[in-house]
Every structure is written in C-alpha cells, then in structure tokens.
Amino acid sequence: MIRAIAFAALVLQTTAVSAETYAIQAGRLIVDASQPARGPSTVIVENGRIARIEPGTTAPAGATVVDMRSKTVMPGMTDVHVHLTMNSGEPWYQGYTQKYSNPYEATLGLTHALEMARAGFTTVRDLGGDTSAVIAVRDAVAEGRFPGPRIKVSGEALSIIGGHGDAATGLPPQMVEAVNEAHLSPAVCTGVEECQKAVRELAAAGVDVIKFHATGGVLDPGAMGLEQHFTNEEMKAIVDMAHAMHLKAAAHAHGAGGILAATNAGVDSIEHGTFLDEAGARAMKAHGTYFSATLLAFSGVERLLGSGKLSPASEAKTRQTLSQWGKGLNLAYRTGVKIALGTDSAVAPHTEANREVGLMVSKGGMTPRDALIAATKGGPDLMGLSGETGTLDTGKSADLIAVEGDPLIDSAAVTHVAYVMVQGRPIPMQ
Ligand SMILES: [Zn+2]
C-alpha cells in the first residue's frame, strides 16, 4: 500500500514537471485508417500521449488549443525506407568522393529529418548511411535537441564485395585500393562468419535494424546486375544473427530470384521488390514478409536519366527498373502480402515523401484507404511499434498530423500537411 502511494506520487510529480496539455480540434478525425472517419472531434494530448478523444469541439481549461477544424486529423505516417544523411539529386556513393565528412552528413540528416516530419511522417526508418552519423541524428532528435520524427536506423547496409553497398564499387583501381585501405566499406562481408561478425558489430554500435543488399542496385555505377548477390547461406546467416540480436532484418532486393532467396531466409521486409514474381509473392505471403515498394525513388532515378551523373551501367539498370514501376507492388497487393510505406528518400527529395501514398494508388493499384493503412499502420507493425504509434488510440504516443481534404478518398490530401505533432511535440512548419 505504501509502495503504491509512493509510486502514485512519483507519477504525479513527473506529470507536474512535463505536463503540457493540447486540445487538437479536428473537423474530421481518422483514429484508425482501417475504420470510418469521425466528424468534428477533439484529441486531448497530455504528457506526449493521447489522453482521450472527445466528440465535437472542446477546449479543456489550461490546454493549448490547436484549431484544425477545417482539416482532417489523422495518425502520423511512417516511412520505413529513408536515407536522412544523403542529398537528393546525386547518386549515394558521391558522398565518398565529394566533400562530405561523416559529421557533415549528420547535419544533413538533421535537416532531412525535419523535412520528413513536415511532410507528415512521425516515424522514419533510415536504411543505410554512415553508422555513427545516423545514430547521432536519431539520438539528437530523440533527446529533443532538434525537431523531427521518431527515427530508427540500420547504419551501414551489408553488401558483397563490389555490390550496392561497397563504397569502392565502380571506382578506378587506384581509388578502390585507397577505399579498402581506409576501411570505407565497413559493411562488406563474405561468407557466413564475416557476415555474422558484421551484424554483431552493427548491433554493438546500437542500430535498430540490419539492412543487407540481397541483390544489385540501380544507382551504383557497377555492372553486377540486379539479381541475387549474397548467397542463400550468407542471407540466412545475416537474418538469423539479426534476429538473435533482437533486431529486424530488411533486404534491398530488385531481381525475382533475390527477392525469393531473401524471403526464404526469413527477412522481415523486402525493399523495392521491383521484379517480384508469382513465386516470390506467394512466399512473402506465406512468411508474413512486408513489402516496401519505394515508388517515389523511381521518379528520383527517372530525373537522373540523361543527367550525366549515372554510369552507362547505371543508366541501363535505371531503364530496366522504370519499365516495372508499380508492378511489384500491384502483384504483392493482389496476392495479399503485407504492405508498408517506404520511399527511399533521398533518391527523390525528402520534401516529396508524402507523394508515395498517391503513387501506391496510381502505380500500385491500391485503394486510397489501403494505401493510407500501409502509410500509417504498416510501418509500425513491421517495426514492432504498433503499441506505440500508427493509430490515435488512448495511451499511444501523440503522433498525429492534420491534412487538407479526406485522405481516405483522395491520397493527394496527405501532400497538404498543415500540422504535425511527434510524441506530443509540435513540429515547427516553417
Ligand atoms: Zn535505399
């Protein structure tokens, strides 16, 4: 009894210290994208959490009123595939050959984190960047030093020698030597043991998820194709070790064989999934593997075509993938595979990330409602965060946005974001 009282006192004290109550008045309220919208409602936020939802327009005494009566208030979106520390409009590997130091990349990451929040994303997952830089961005934002979404990170993405994540890919021989001597490709591994070691090193560095390049990539200058890169045994070793470290595993995969191999290895999500075939879709459905289509990235690579920034091999791979834009997602959707929203920003600018929802409809054939479910609930479910975010249920983190129009009918609504709150903290919109 005494203990119970002492505990209650402690809770009250904590509440008193950090209490900031918000009354977010919505014209239309989406609590859960899989349920019908409600009419005028007020979301009461206390201590960063959703305390309750009241019908109509209310304003409890002492609450900061946020007037969104002309807007739809909905759960914040989750993007499971971003690169915060990279700029758009340039192939990723240019970071190695241009002026960017890892500390400078962290400053880029803070800028892009804020852009993602302003685009309506209250959670993002960084799937590939310098490990120390992305961890610094994640932690600085989590501590409230900079405004931004909740961030989870993979750090460096594992790659085969000469593959999509090898910094030396496509460089002249002298530079390959220099890159290898400077250990600029810490995530390159060969064989079961090296790949297990690489996963352990990333886990020890404090990442939240392990990403590996199951197949070749479009924007690296190499000519090693878009099919399977790691062996089945290497993929299994990576996924099993990630799971043993209580981490999820994400596979970059374009070619059908690579998608199937990564799925059979037990990976939690297929990223891109460009050339998904029937066998792969059936396997993904059977394994409960998530599909993250990154359709926005296709528009990003389309802009790079003919710019002179791509190697001839990369130009060819770009044309190959553009012919498939949305087809993998459509097959996954029709097969009943679980879908999460992923954009691969910075391939296209982070500021455009909310366009992915409309592309999932126009290119992937999803209904606006299913695209919105994938955008709000898919990512949290994939990442094990459903108890915390993705719907506006009482007790969950106050991760919400206000948009113009009705996103359950018209996906363009989420490209007009008027207000964003992450964990009870309003994001400065300009
Ligand atoms: Zn990516």
Side-chain angles (χ1 to χ4, degrees):
M1 186 62 186
I2 290 168
R3 263 191 214 157
I5 290 167
F7 178 70
L10 186 71
V11 170
L12 283 176
Q13 199 180 28
T14 314
T15 305
V17 172
S18 61
E20 172 131 34
T21 301
Y22 291 89
I24 296 142
Q25 301 172 338
R28 183 189 289 109
L29 180 69
I30 297 169
V31 170
D32 179 328
S34 61
Q35 292 168 13
R38 301 181 190 181
S41 309
T42 304
V43 181
I44 310 296
V45 173
E46 288 172 3
N47 304 308
R49 298 204 167 259
I50 296 167
R52 61 190 180 278
I53 292 169
E54 298 177 346
T57 300
T58 65
T64 302
V65 171
V66 180
D67 182 358
M68 293 291 142
R69 285 176 296 170
S70 63
K71 311 280 189 292
T72 300
V73 173
M74 58 173 271
M77 297 187 287
T78 292
D79 188 337
V80 303
H81 190 145
V82 300
H83 301 280
L84 295 174
T85 56
M86 296 172 194
N87 279 325
S88 63
E90 52 195 39
W92 60 271
Y93 53 87
Q94 290 199 357
Y96 294 108
T97 52
Q98 292 187 339
K99 65 188 173 188
Y100 306 149
S101 63
N102 294 338
Y104 183 76
E105 286 184 350
T107 69
L108 292 178
L110 293 168
T111 310
H112 295 142
L114 178 54
E115 287 179 357
M116 289 300 303
R118 286 175 173 166
F121 293 90
T122 52
T123 302
V124 302
R125 185 169 77 159
D126 190 298
L127 282 189
D130 172 72
T131 305
S132 62
V134 293
I135 284 178
V137 172
R138 176 193 71 186
D139 294 349
V141 172
E143 287 167 11
R145 296 175 191 279
F146 296 90
R150 176 189 292 98
I151 299 170
K152 302 291 176 186
V153 304
S154 73
E156 300 277 354
L158 303 182
S159 167
I160 64 160
I161 294 170
H164 191 45
D166 182 351
T169 299
L171 296 180
Q174 304 90 312
M175 286 183 75
V176 171
E177 233 170 88
V179 164
N180 289 342
E181 270 168 30
H183 301 289
L184 279 176
S185 285
V188 167
C189 63
T190 305
V192 166
E193 207 168 308
E194 268 188 33
C195 291
Q196 287 173 327
K197 184 180 177 209
V199 173
R200 285 185 176 138
E201 283 171 348
L202 286 163
V207 303
D208 308 291
V209 53
I210 298 296
K211 164 149 179 223
F212 64 96
H213 293 295
T215 75
V218 176
L219 282 185
D220 68 66
M224 287 163 68
L226 293 169
E227 257 304 347
Q228 182 166 349
H229 272 185
F230 278 115
T231 65
N232 294 352
E233 291 72 24
E234 287 166 332
M235 289 196 211
K236 181 102 174 47
I238 291 167
V239 172
D240 286 350
M241 185 56 72
H243 290 166
M245 302 291 108
H246 303 291
L247 303 175
K248 300 281 185 179
H252 155 112
H254 289 291
I259 294 169
L260 183 59
T263 300
N264 287 337
V267 78
D268 299 287
S269 68
I270 294 292
E271 306 294 325
H272 315 304
T274 311
F275 297 95
L276 179 72
D277 63 6
E278 298 276 353
R282 277 197 304 274
M284 287 185 74
K285 164 108 169 137
H287 281 85
T289 316
Y290 260 95
F291 192 95
S292 148
T294 69
L295 300 179
L296 187 68
F298 289 74
S299 81
V301 295
E302 193 174 39
R303 282 174 244 184
L304 285 169
L305 268 184
S307 68
K309 289 179 178 173
L310 302 180
S311 71
S314 190
E315 283 258 344
K317 289 183 287 183
T318 299
R319 287 180 205 287
Q320 236 183 311
T321 48
L322 277 173
S323 70
Q324 295 294 310
W325 198 353
K327 288 181 185 167
L329 175 60
N330 186 252
L331 177 56
Y333 181 54
R334 284 187 284 112
T335 309
V337 172
K338 294 194 273 189
I339 294 162
L341 180 148
T343 62
D344 209 2
S345 309
V347 177
H350 300 83
T351 50
E352 295 180 20
N354 49 29
R355 286 184 49 221
E356 181 78 21
V357 187
L359 290 170
M360 291 163 91
V361 174
S362 64
K363 299 278 186 191
M366 296 179 77
T367 64
R369 180 184 289 279
D370 285 342
L372 201 70
I373 292 170
T376 53
K377 298 174 78 174
D381 186 49
L382 163 60
M383 294 157 72
L385 292 172
S386 284
E388 192 66 3
T389 191
T391 61
L392 300 184
D393 294 311
T394 301
K396 284 196 184 174
S397 175
D399 300 339
L400 56 85
I401 64 176
V403 302
E404 306 269 0
D406 185 354
L408 289 170
I409 294 167
D410 177 12
S411 300
V414 300
T415 63
H416 303 286
V417 180
Y419 183 82
V420 177
M421 174 177 268
V422 179
Q423 295 171 303
R425 292 195 294 260
I427 296 292
M429 294 305 281
Q430 52 195 357

